[in-house]
Amino acid sequence: MNDAIKRSILRWIHIVFSIPMIGYVYSPFKELPSYAPVVRFVSIPVLVLTGLWMWKGHVLRRLISKRST
């Protein structure tokens, strides 16, 4: 799998997991308790991890490759 495909997959994961957060922000106030656990414990951690991986993934890959040798 080449780097372009990996970036595309990460971007789509990032976009798909941002949808519940958009629903959380724009939903009526009485529906917030049903969205809160999904957004707090699933959506935001996935967004943070994919965002950091897309931003600084090359540094992490370099550290992992140096450690394995």
Side-chain angles (χ1 to χ4, degrees):
M1 189 179 335
N2 60 12
D3 288 337
I5 293 173
K6 289 178 187 177
R7 278 193 306 270
S8 178
I9 291 170
L10 282 172
R11 284 182 188 140
W12 277 108
I13 290 172
H14 198 77
I15 289 169
V16 168
F17 277 89
S18 68
I19 292 170
M21 193 162 59
I22 293 169
Y24 181 78
V25 169
Y26 289 110
S27 67
F29 186 71
K30 62 182 176 182
E31 293 180 15
L32 285 181
S34 63
Y35 280 113
V38 174
V39 171
R40 284 185 195 146
F41 301 119
V42 177
S43 183
I44 290 178
V46 170
L47 287 173
V48 168
L49 289 175
T50 57
L52 285 173
W53 187 261
M54 287 188 291
W55 180 45
K56 289 291 185 178
H58 64 283
V59 175
L60 185 62
R61 273 183 256 128
R62 192 174 346 146
L63 288 172
I64 291 171
S65 68
K66 283 183 182 179
R67 186 176 293 170
S68 64
T69 57

